[in-house]
Amino acid sequence: MKVAMIGTGYVGLVSGVCFSDFGHDVICVDTSADKIAQLQAGIVPIYEPGLDTLMQRNAEAGRLRFTTDLRAAVDGAEAVFIAVGTPTRRGDGHADLSYVMAAAAEIAHALTGPAVIVTKSTVPVGTNRKVAEVIRATRPDAEFDVASNPEFLREGAAIDDFMRPDRVVIGLETDRARQVMSDLYRPLFLRDFPIVFTDLESAEMIKYAANGFLAVKISFINEIAALCERVGADVKAVAKGMGLDGRIGNKFLHAGPGYGGSCFPKDTQALARIGQEYGVPQRITETVITVNAEVKRRMIDKACDLCGGSFNGKTVAVLGVTFKPNTDDMREAPSLTIVPAMIGAGARVHVVDPQGRREGEHLLPGVTWFADAYAAVEGADLVMLLTEWNEFRALDLPRLAATMRLARMADFRNIYERSAVLGAGFEAYDAVGR
Ligand SMILES: NC(=O)c1ccc[n+]([C@@H]2O[C@H](COP(=O)([O-])OP(=O)(O)OC[C@H]3O[C@@H](n4cnc5c(N)ncnc54)[C@H](O)[C@@H]3O)[C@@H](O)[C@H]2O)c1
């Protein structure tokens, strides 16, 4: 099947590459000429494990192409995906649909044969119908259907998530859309991965409800962690004891410095706004947003306490600044709140991150970048573990302690044990909820 993927970011690129690996003929489109030039040269513009090999294989097989020419890509495509960004709209927290609507209008002009327009971007309820309206208004003659196909992949494990999903959600209204979507996802049907067919509104709602719920889980354990610190409990033990209950599950129960990333912050904001708009406030989600902001502030206070009550003149070595490991994505990473706050309070900040530097250089002005954790901590007064990259999980603690000016550790991912850190020569250690 000929597929056009409009928007070649984290979701569009991974989806396009994976659909081509299913055997479809995929053209990925982006407005960024730079990005497309890199992709045409075989360079993957983001860090996502395994993506380069899969992209190369399918490009060489002739099933995967990249262009800035949307019209050429849409011409003759049976499925046209919209996978552009839906960031938070400045000022009011709503999802900014301007990219989606602009893409819809461009697609309308370019449509030739019958096609299904599939929205993969995370969009508020009613957006798929608006996409249909835009296309119909622009091209009353066009033969098309719409489908909602929200994406659930996680950065860092995106290919596996796409190829072996917990479920695929597809909202649609017509037999023709169902036929096209079934053909597209046939390899997953054949392997019995659950495919949930539903209506457009429910599909749109599933994505926000799922992300809202996961944000609740993270924030819940972060609040419990704060309480654990007061009562002398260990949140790791608490999370384990909770998570073994099959009704709760052990995922997303890791206390830490608050959620970040390209989805949870903006999707919880958007869900709260949708609730307000329809007169059904989503109070749990609204509270989660507040709790998450407080968690980040709490981390800054903890670090300040470790620095003896003031950051002024102190050097803090931050290990990891991306919002999670195995991605270079810095969007809404906790580091973007914590690092500037420390610099503003007079700290010098050293940073090391295996993939974060390219993005982080613009986003974290005033820090000094290092290539390796041992160099970054040399002479520092505090080492802060902010992203749990594998290479930070088995550091030589005595070596770290020996090179620091004051050996103190803020372990905001609960990687190490207090006794091991103190035993290695650190004079102070703090974690989250322990
Ligand atoms: N990143 C994730 O982990 C993830 C997971 C699930 C869902 N989503 C959702 O998927 C959507 C895309 O997210 P992303 O992280 O891939 O965004 P992104 O910012 O990485 O990529 C969006 C791309 O779309 C391009 N674009 C914008 N307008 C265009 C147009 N008119 N024509 C062609 N290209 C255009 C941009 O240049 C950019 O490259 C969002 O709605 C997001 O919420 C993201």
Side-chain angles (χ1 to χ4, degrees):
M1 182 185 303
K2 188 178 170 202
V3 177
M5 186 65 64
I6 315 302
T8 310
Y10 285 85
V11 163
L13 180 57
V14 170
S15 306
V17 168
C18 290
F19 278 132
S20 69
D21 206 59
F22 288 173
H24 301 304
D25 178 12
V26 179
I27 308 188
C28 293
V29 184
D30 207 283
T31 42
S32 161
D34 250 19
K35 195 176 273 191
I36 292 300
Q38 285 187 57
L39 289 161
Q40 285 170 338
I43 300 163
V44 181
I46 55 171
Y47 176 73
E48 181 60 48
L51 189 55
D52 46 359
T53 319
L54 204 62
M55 187 177 111
Q56 188 187 353
R57 183 166 85 207
N58 287 287
E60 279 171 9
R63 289 190 293 264
L64 178 64
R65 284 168 291 156
F66 301 97
T67 182
T68 51
D69 185 350
L70 183 143
R71 195 172 277 266
V74 170
D75 183 13
E78 288 159 84
V80 180
F81 278 85
I82 299 178
V84 300
T86 49
T88 299
R89 193 164 68 191
R90 211 177 277 265
D92 66 3
H94 269 294
D96 178 353
L97 293 178
S98 58
Y99 300 98
V100 171
M101 292 308 162
E106 283 182 77
I107 292 165
H109 287 295
L111 279 177
T112 48
V116 179
I117 316 304
V118 192
T119 302
K120 208 168 230 328
S121 302
T122 302
V123 292
V125 177
T127 306
N128 275 269
R129 289 195 194 284
K130 284 192 197 137
V131 165
E133 277 167 28
V134 166
I135 298 175
R136 214 170 287 123
T138 317
R139 281 284 305 283
D141 60 309
E143 223 185 311
F144 72 96
D145 300 280
V146 292
S148 166
N149 176 212
E151 183 51 57
F152 297 93
L153 61 78
R154 294 162 303 164
E155 289 174 17
I159 292 171
D160 203 44
D161 283 350
F162 197 96
M163 297 289 199
R164 303 160 41 78
D166 288 339
R167 78 312 206 179
V168 174
V169 171
I170 301 172
L172 40 68
E173 297 189 302
T174 65
D175 291 341
R176 190 172 58 182
R178 190 176 177 117
Q179 187 59 52
V180 168
M181 296 308 287
S182 303
D183 288 350
L184 259 172
Y185 280 105
R186 185 163 313 286
L188 300 184
F189 270 109
L190 294 175
R191 283 152 61 213
D192 284 335
F193 288 103
I195 315 268
V196 178
F197 281 109
T198 182
D199 56 273
L200 294 170
E201 284 73 17
S202 301
E204 292 167 331
M205 200 62 216
I206 286 169
K207 176 65 192 177
Y208 280 111
N211 273 3
F213 190 78
L214 292 172
V216 168
K217 245 183 136 179
I218 297 171
S219 297
F220 183 85
I221 201 67
N222 281 336
E223 267 202 325
I224 291 288
L227 186 56
C228 283
E229 288 176 14
R230 284 293 165 87
V231 301
D234 179 344
V235 75
K236 270 189 126 169
V238 173
K240 188 169 182 191
M242 284 171 66
L244 286 168
D245 185 328
R247 295 167 301 177
I248 297 174
N250 61 3
K251 306 267 172 63
F252 281 74
L253 282 183
H254 302 287
Y259 60 74
S262 64
C263 292
F264 289 168
K266 80 174 175 62
D267 293 349
T268 46
Q269 292 263 6
L271 180 56
R273 288 291 168 269
I274 295 166
Q276 286 161 5
E277 196 169 275
Y278 283 84
V280 188
Q282 299 295 295
R283 292 207 183 85
I284 295 175
T285 302
E286 288 173 6
T287 304
V288 159
I289 295 166
T290 313
V291 168
N292 196 54
E294 281 164 6
V295 171
K296 292 184 204 171
R297 277 198 295 276
R298 207 166 78 78
M299 298 304 119
I300 298 166
D301 292 345
K302 275 168 162 293
C304 189
D305 286 348
L306 279 165
C307 283
S310 167
F311 284 117
N312 203 18
K314 304 286 178 7
T315 300
V316 181
V318 175
L319 310 193
V321 288
T322 51
F323 86 93
K324 65 174 178 181
N326 297 323
T327 181
D328 57 353
D329 200 340
M330 292 283 300
R331 286 177 281 187
E332 301 285 336
S335 64
L336 298 181
T337 307
I338 295 171
V339 169
M342 295 193 296
I343 292 177
R348 277 184 298 274
V349 177
H350 294 178
V351 169
V352 55
D353 190 286
Q355 295 292 337
R357 184 165 182 170
R358 192 180 44 190
E359 283 292 306
E361 279 197 330
H362 321 288
L363 297 170
L364 294 171
V367 307
T368 309
W369 289 86
F370 287 82
D372 135 283
Y374 298 100
V377 301
E378 216 176 302
D381 302 279
L382 175 69
V383 55
M384 179 186 289
L385 281 145
L386 212 43
T387 312
E388 67 279 35
W389 285 91
N390 267 342
E391 65 187 70
F392 302 145
R393 286 179 184 274
L395 292 166
D396 180 342
L397 296 178
R399 184 177 158 200
L400 278 193
T403 56
M404 293 180 72
R405 204 168 73 83
L406 289 171
R408 297 164 175 179
M409 182 185 285
D411 179 4
F412 291 158
R413 295 291 179 176
N414 290 344
I415 294 172
Y416 293 101
E417 293 300 322
R418 175 183 301 275
S419 55
V421 174
L422 298 181
F426 277 81
E427 65 174 60
Y429 171 83
D430 198 6
V432 183
R434 308 190 78 189

mmCIF file of all heavy atoms in Angstrom, residues 143-177:
data_model
loop_
_atom_site.group_PDB
_atom_site.id
_atom_site.type_symbol
_atom_site.label_atom_id
_atom_site.label_comp_id
_atom_site.label_asym_id
_atom_site.label_seq_id
_atom_site.Cartn_x
_atom_site.Cartn_y
_atom_site.Cartn_z
ATOM 1 N N GLU A 143 -12.503 12.323 -2.578
ATOM 2 C CA GLU A 143 -13.057 11.078 -2.030
ATOM 3 C C GLU A 143 -12.134 10.653 -0.888
ATOM 4 O O GLU A 143 -10.988 10.264 -1.127
ATOM 5 C CB GLU A 143 -13.014 10.017 -3.133
ATOM 6 C CG GLU A 143 -14.273 9.184 -3.212
ATOM 7 C CD GLU A 143 -14.083 8.089 -4.254
ATOM 8 O OE1 GLU A 143 -13.642 8.417 -5.380
ATOM 9 O OE2 GLU A 143 -14.336 6.935 -3.919
ATOM 10 N N PHE A 144 -12.619 10.766 0.343
ATOM 11 C CA PHE A 144 -11.738 10.427 1.471
ATOM 12 C C PHE A 144 -12.551 10.009 2.691
ATOM 13 O O PHE A 144 -13.753 10.289 2.796
ATOM 14 C CB PHE A 144 -10.853 11.637 1.840
ATOM 15 C CG PHE A 144 -11.615 12.747 2.510
ATOM 16 C CD1 PHE A 144 -11.642 12.850 3.892
ATOM 17 C CD2 PHE A 144 -12.340 13.668 1.767
ATOM 18 C CE1 PHE A 144 -12.369 13.857 4.516
ATOM 19 C CE2 PHE A 144 -13.073 14.668 2.391
ATOM 20 C CZ PHE A 144 -13.087 14.768 3.764
ATOM 21 N N ASP A 145 -11.898 9.329 3.613
ATOM 22 C CA ASP A 145 -12.450 9.026 4.930
ATOM 23 C C ASP A 145 -11.406 9.480 5.939
ATOM 24 O O ASP A 145 -10.246 9.665 5.588
ATOM 25 C CB ASP A 145 -12.653 7.515 5.100
ATOM 26 C CG ASP A 145 -13.604 6.963 4.060
ATOM 27 O OD1 ASP A 145 -14.817 7.099 4.235
ATOM 28 O OD2 ASP A 145 -13.100 6.399 3.050
ATOM 29 N N VAL A 146 -11.849 9.616 7.193
ATOM 30 C CA VAL A 146 -10.851 9.923 8.222
ATOM 31 C C VAL A 146 -10.782 8.765 9.212
ATOM 32 O O VAL A 146 -11.738 8.005 9.370
ATOM 33 C CB VAL A 146 -11.144 11.249 8.981
ATOM 34 C CG1 VAL A 146 -10.973 12.445 8.080
ATOM 35 C CG2 VAL A 146 -12.513 11.219 9.637
ATOM 36 N N ALA A 147 -9.626 8.650 9.860
ATOM 37 C CA ALA A 147 -9.455 7.654 10.925
ATOM 38 C C ALA A 147 -8.553 8.258 11.991
ATOM 39 O O ALA A 147 -7.659 9.052 11.693
ATOM 40 C CB ALA A 147 -8.835 6.370 10.365
ATOM 41 N N SER A 148 -8.824 7.887 13.224
ATOM 42 C CA SER A 148 -7.987 8.324 14.341
ATOM 43 C C SER A 148 -7.145 7.135 14.774
ATOM 44 O O SER A 148 -7.669 6.058 15.034
ATOM 45 C CB SER A 148 -8.899 8.773 15.498
ATOM 46 O OG SER A 148 -8.147 8.881 16.685
ATOM 47 N N ASN A 149 -5.836 7.334 14.807
ATOM 48 C CA ASN A 149 -4.955 6.215 15.152
ATOM 49 C C ASN A 149 -3.852 6.733 16.093
ATOM 50 O O ASN A 149 -2.698 6.849 15.726
ATOM 51 C CB ASN A 149 -4.363 5.644 13.851
ATOM 52 C CG ASN A 149 -3.348 4.536 14.071
ATOM 53 O OD1 ASN A 149 -2.410 4.386 13.282
ATOM 54 N ND2 ASN A 149 -3.505 3.742 15.109
ATOM 55 N N PRO A 150 -4.257 7.068 17.337
ATOM 56 C CA PRO A 150 -3.264 7.641 18.256
ATOM 57 C C PRO A 150 -2.103 6.690 18.478
ATOM 58 O O PRO A 150 -2.265 5.474 18.402
ATOM 59 C CB PRO A 150 -4.056 7.848 19.554
ATOM 60 C CG PRO A 150 -5.244 6.956 19.451
ATOM 61 C CD PRO A 150 -5.553 6.846 17.990
ATOM 62 N N GLU A 151 -0.948 7.292 18.723
ATOM 63 C CA GLU A 151 0.275 6.500 18.862
ATOM 64 C C GLU A 151 0.661 6.388 20.338
ATOM 65 O O GLU A 151 0.559 7.346 21.076
ATOM 66 C CB GLU A 151 1.399 7.160 18.054
ATOM 67 C CG GLU A 151 2.692 6.397 18.061
ATOM 68 C CD GLU A 151 2.505 4.929 17.689
ATOM 69 O OE1 GLU A 151 1.978 4.645 16.609
ATOM 70 O OE2 GLU A 151 2.878 4.068 18.511
ATOM 71 N N PHE A 152 1.133 5.205 20.719
ATOM 72 C CA PHE A 152 1.486 4.962 22.125
ATOM 73 C C PHE A 152 2.966 4.632 22.299
ATOM 74 O O PHE A 152 3.370 4.225 23.388
ATOM 75 C CB PHE A 152 0.624 3.835 22.694
ATOM 76 C CG PHE A 152 -0.842 4.160 22.710
ATOM 77 C CD1 PHE A 152 -1.662 3.804 21.653
ATOM 78 C CD2 PHE A 152 -1.393 4.865 23.768
ATOM 79 C CE1 PHE A 152 -3.015 4.130 21.649
ATOM 80 C CE2 PHE A 152 -2.739 5.200 23.781
ATOM 81 C CZ PHE A 152 -3.553 4.822 22.711
ATOM 82 N N LEU A 153 3.756 4.761 21.239
ATOM 83 C CA LEU A 153 5.167 4.362 21.384
ATOM 84 C C LEU A 153 5.870 5.213 22.426
ATOM 85 O O LEU A 153 5.501 6.370 22.676
ATOM 86 C CB LEU A 153 5.894 4.457 20.040
ATOM 87 C CG LEU A 153 6.016 5.804 19.320
ATOM 88 C CD1 LEU A 153 7.090 6.693 19.923
ATOM 89 C CD2 LEU A 153 6.312 5.575 17.853
ATOM 90 N N ARG A 154 6.871 4.606 23.062
ATOM 91 C CA ARG A 154 7.703 5.339 24.017
ATOM 92 C C ARG A 154 9.042 5.622 23.368
ATOM 93 O O ARG A 154 9.662 4.705 22.813
ATOM 94 C CB ARG A 154 7.956 4.488 25.278
ATOM 95 C CG ARG A 154 6.743 4.192 26.111
ATOM 96 C CD ARG A 154 7.031 3.019 27.029
ATOM 97 N NE ARG A 154 7.450 1.844 26.251
ATOM 98 C CZ ARG A 154 8.056 0.782 26.765
ATOM 99 N NH1 ARG A 154 8.334 0.725 28.052
ATOM 100 N NH2 ARG A 154 8.395 -0.248 25.999
ATOM 101 N N GLU A 155 9.515 6.855 23.455
ATOM 102 C CA GLU A 155 10.855 7.143 22.954
ATOM 103 C C GLU A 155 11.846 6.274 23.707
ATOM 104 O O GLU A 155 11.681 6.009 24.892
ATOM 105 C CB GLU A 155 11.178 8.623 23.153
ATOM 106 C CG GLU A 155 10.366 9.498 22.222
ATOM 107 C CD GLU A 155 10.555 10.982 22.479
ATOM 108 O OE1 GLU A 155 11.522 11.360 23.148
ATOM 109 O OE2 GLU A 155 9.707 11.753 22.001
ATOM 110 N N GLY A 156 12.862 5.816 23.020
ATOM 111 C CA GLY A 156 13.855 4.943 23.654
ATOM 112 C C GLY A 156 13.530 3.472 23.439
ATOM 113 O O GLY A 156 14.406 2.624 23.510
ATOM 114 N N ALA A 157 12.250 3.171 23.197
ATOM 115 C CA ALA A 157 11.844 1.785 22.918
ATOM 116 C C ALA A 157 10.820 1.809 21.793
ATOM 117 O O ALA A 157 9.938 0.956 21.701
ATOM 118 C CB ALA A 157 11.237 1.157 24.178
ATOM 119 N N ALA A 158 10.946 2.819 20.930
ATOM 120 C CA ALA A 158 9.879 3.138 19.986
ATOM 121 C C ALA A 158 9.633 2.033 18.956
ATOM 122 O O ALA A 158 8.485 1.733 18.628
ATOM 123 C CB ALA A 158 10.199 4.458 19.292
ATOM 124 N N ILE A 159 10.704 1.425 18.466
ATOM 125 C CA ILE A 159 10.521 0.424 17.412
ATOM 126 C C ILE A 159 9.829 -0.807 17.971
ATOM 127 O O ILE A 159 8.867 -1.325 17.393
ATOM 128 C CB ILE A 159 11.869 0.079 16.769
ATOM 129 C CG1 ILE A 159 12.343 1.313 15.996
ATOM 130 C CG2 ILE A 159 11.759 -1.123 15.834
ATOM 131 C CD1 ILE A 159 13.718 1.220 15.491
ATOM 132 N N ASP A 160 10.288 -1.246 19.111
ATOM 133 C CA ASP A 160 9.668 -2.408 19.735
ATOM 134 C C ASP A 160 8.202 -2.112 20.066
ATOM 135 O O ASP A 160 7.323 -2.948 19.857
ATOM 136 C CB ASP A 160 10.442 -2.769 21.007
ATOM 137 C CG ASP A 160 10.230 -4.219 21.375
ATOM 138 O OD1 ASP A 160 10.292 -5.063 20.462
ATOM 139 O OD2 ASP A 160 9.961 -4.503 22.557
ATOM 140 N N ASP A 161 7.946 -0.916 20.561
ATOM 141 C CA ASP A 161 6.563 -0.553 20.893
ATOM 142 C C ASP A 161 5.686 -0.547 19.645
ATOM 143 O O ASP A 161 4.511 -0.903 19.696
ATOM 144 C CB ASP A 161 6.514 0.837 21.542
ATOM 145 C CG ASP A 161 6.957 0.805 22.998
ATOM 146 O OD1 ASP A 161 7.113 -0.296 23.553
ATOM 147 O OD2 ASP A 161 7.155 1.885 23.580
ATOM 148 N N PHE A 162 6.260 -0.105 18.518
ATOM 149 C CA PHE A 162 5.459 -0.052 17.289
ATOM 150 C C PHE A 162 5.246 -1.456 16.726
ATOM 151 O O PHE A 162 4.154 -1.787 16.259
ATOM 152 C CB PHE A 162 6.138 0.832 16.235
ATOM 153 C CG PHE A 162 5.197 1.243 15.135
ATOM 154 C CD1 PHE A 162 4.539 2.459 15.181
ATOM 155 C CD2 PHE A 162 4.950 0.398 14.056
ATOM 156 C CE1 PHE A 162 3.646 2.835 14.182
ATOM 157 C CE2 PHE A 162 4.062 0.762 13.043
ATOM 158 C CZ PHE A 162 3.411 1.987 13.108
ATOM 159 N N MET A 163 6.278 -2.270 16.788
ATOM 160 C CA MET A 163 6.222 -3.605 16.184
ATOM 161 C C MET A 163 5.521 -4.625 17.094
ATOM 162 O O MET A 163 5.029 -5.631 16.609
ATOM 163 C CB MET A 163 7.648 -4.109 15.923
ATOM 164 C CG MET A 163 8.427 -3.276 14.939
ATOM 165 S SD MET A 163 7.787 -3.516 13.289
ATOM 166 C CE MET A 163 9.156 -2.953 12.308
ATOM 167 N N ARG A 164 5.572 -4.380 18.409
ATOM 168 C CA ARG A 164 4.960 -5.315 19.359
ATOM 169 C C ARG A 164 4.119 -4.522 20.359
ATOM 170 O O ARG A 164 4.409 -4.495 21.558
ATOM 171 C CB ARG A 164 6.056 -6.098 20.100
ATOM 172 C CG ARG A 164 6.992 -6.871 19.158
ATOM 173 C CD ARG A 164 8.314 -7.234 19.818
ATOM 174 N NE ARG A 164 8.146 -7.678 21.184
ATOM 175 C CZ ARG A 164 7.724 -8.891 21.535
ATOM 176 N NH1 ARG A 164 7.452 -9.781 20.602
ATOM 177 N NH2 ARG A 164 7.596 -9.211 22.787
ATOM 178 N N PRO A 165 3.062 -3.867 19.853
ATOM 179 C CA PRO A 165 2.320 -2.956 20.728
ATOM 180 C C PRO A 165 1.429 -3.693 21.724
ATOM 181 O O PRO A 165 1.002 -4.825 21.460
ATOM 182 C CB PRO A 165 1.449 -2.174 19.739
ATOM 183 C CG PRO A 165 1.234 -3.119 18.599
ATOM 184 C CD PRO A 165 2.482 -3.952 18.496
ATOM 185 N N ASP A 166 1.156 -3.043 22.867
ATOM 186 C CA ASP A 166 0.150 -3.576 23.794
ATOM 187 C C ASP A 166 -1.196 -3.601 23.092
ATOM 188 O O ASP A 166 -2.001 -4.489 23.305
ATOM 189 C CB ASP A 166 0.053 -2.692 25.046
ATOM 190 C CG ASP A 166 1.277 -2.840 25.934
ATOM 191 O OD1 ASP A 166 1.974 -3.858 25.809
ATOM 192 O OD2 ASP A 166 1.543 -1.925 26.737
ATOM 193 N N ARG A 167 -1.426 -2.587 22.283
ATOM 194 C CA ARG A 167 -2.648 -2.509 21.477
ATOM 195 C C ARG A 167 -2.471 -1.435 20.418
ATOM 196 O O ARG A 167 -1.641 -0.522 20.565
ATOM 197 C CB ARG A 167 -3.890 -2.227 22.314
ATOM 198 C CG ARG A 167 -4.159 -0.794 22.786
ATOM 199 C CD ARG A 167 -3.037 -0.087 23.408
ATOM 200 N NE ARG A 167 -3.433 0.966 24.337
ATOM 201 C CZ ARG A 167 -2.554 1.677 24.998
ATOM 202 N NH1 ARG A 167 -1.258 1.480 24.822
ATOM 203 N NH2 ARG A 167 -2.947 2.612 25.824
ATOM 204 N N VAL A 168 -3.300 -1.563 19.366
ATOM 205 C CA VAL A 168 -3.399 -0.485 18.374
ATOM 206 C C VAL A 168 -4.827 0.022 18.476
ATOM 207 O O VAL A 168 -5.768 -0.774 18.529
ATOM 208 C CB VAL A 168 -3.124 -1.014 16.947
ATOM 209 C CG1 VAL A 168 -3.363 0.073 15.907
ATOM 210 C CG2 VAL A 168 -1.700 -1.557 16.845
ATOM 211 N N VAL A 169 -4.991 1.340 18.563
ATOM 212 C CA VAL A 169 -6.335 1.914 18.676
ATOM 213 C C VAL A 169 -6.675 2.603 17.360
ATOM 214 O O VAL A 169 -5.886 3.408 16.851
ATOM 215 C CB VAL A 169 -6.394 2.925 19.844
ATOM 216 C CG1 VAL A 169 -7.714 3.695 19.835
ATOM 217 C CG2 VAL A 169 -6.203 2.201 21.177
ATOM 218 N N ILE A 170 -7.842 2.267 16.817
ATOM 219 C CA ILE A 170 -8.250 2.855 15.538
ATOM 220 C C ILE A 170 -9.713 3.299 15.635
ATOM 221 O O ILE A 170 -10.606 2.489 15.861
ATOM 222 C CB ILE A 170 -8.087 1.837 14.382
ATOM 223 C CG1 ILE A 170 -6.615 1.381 14.272
ATOM 224 C CG2 ILE A 170 -8.549 2.460 13.064
ATOM 225 C CD1 ILE A 170 -6.386 0.246 13.301
ATOM 226 N N GLY A 171 -9.917 4.600 15.471
ATOM 227 C CA GLY A 171 -11.280 5.135 15.446
ATOM 228 C C GLY A 171 -11.662 5.422 14.015
ATOM 229 O O GLY A 171 -10.886 6.023 13.274
ATOM 230 N N LEU A 172 -12.851 4.971 13.606
ATOM 231 C CA LEU A 172 -13.279 5.227 12.231
ATOM 232 C C LEU A 172 -14.779 5.059 12.104
ATOM 233 O O LEU A 172 -15.457 4.684 13.062
ATOM 234 C CB LEU A 172 -12.532 4.306 11.253
ATOM 235 C CG LEU A 172 -12.282 2.835 11.663
ATOM 236 C CD1 LEU A 172 -13.565 2.052 11.718
ATOM 237 C CD2 LEU A 172 -11.313 2.191 10.716
ATOM 238 N N GLU A 173 -15.289 5.332 10.898
ATOM 239 C CA GLU A 173 -16.736 5.289 10.713
ATOM 240 C C GLU A 173 -17.164 4.535 9.474
ATOM 241 O O GLU A 173 -18.346 4.287 9.296
ATOM 242 C CB GLU A 173 -17.261 6.735 10.595
ATOM 243 C CG GLU A 173 -17.048 7.551 11.835
ATOM 244 C CD GLU A 173 -17.764 8.881 11.787
ATOM 245 O OE1 GLU A 173 -17.490 9.645 10.841
ATOM 246 O OE2 GLU A 173 -18.589 9.132 12.678
ATOM 247 N N THR A 174 -16.223 4.209 8.593
ATOM 248 C CA THR A 174 -16.644 3.620 7.315
ATOM 249 C C THR A 174 -15.927 2.281 7.060
ATOM 250 O O THR A 174 -14.843 2.036 7.589
ATOM 251 C CB THR A 174 -16.297 4.560 6.126
ATOM 252 O OG1 THR A 174 -14.873 4.667 6.049
ATOM 253 C CG2 THR A 174 -16.915 5.933 6.290
ATOM 254 N N ASP A 175 -16.563 1.472 6.239
ATOM 255 C CA ASP A 175 -15.969 0.169 5.887
ATOM 256 C C ASP A 175 -14.671 0.367 5.110
ATOM 257 O O ASP A 175 -13.717 -0.384 5.271
ATOM 258 C CB ASP A 175 -16.942 -0.654 5.026
ATOM 259 C CG ASP A 175 -18.139 -1.097 5.847
ATOM 260 O OD1 ASP A 175 -18.030 -1.085 7.100
ATOM 261 O OD2 ASP A 175 -19.180 -1.420 5.245
ATOM 262 N N ARG A 176 -14.669 1.416 4.274
ATOM 263 C CA ARG A 176 -13.459 1.628 3.471
ATOM 264 C C ARG A 176 -12.273 1.969 4.372
ATOM 265 O O ARG A 176 -11.170 1.460 4.192
ATOM 266 C CB ARG A 176 -13.694 2.746 2.453
ATOM 267 C CG ARG A 176 -12.559 2.857 1.439
ATOM 268 C CD ARG A 176 -12.869 3.809 0.328
ATOM 269 N NE ARG A 176 -13.174 5.146 0.845
ATOM 270 C CZ ARG A 176 -13.526 6.162 0.072
ATOM 271 N NH1 ARG A 176 -13.664 5.993 -1.231
ATOM 272 N NH2 ARG A 176 -13.781 7.337 0.601
ATOM 273 N N ALA A 177 -12.511 2.806 5.386
ATOM 274 C CA ALA A 177 -11.422 3.149 6.311
ATOM 275 C C ALA A 177 -10.980 1.888 7.058
ATOM 276 O O ALA A 177 -9.780 1.656 7.255
ATOM 277 C CB ALA A 177 -11.889 4.215 7.303
#
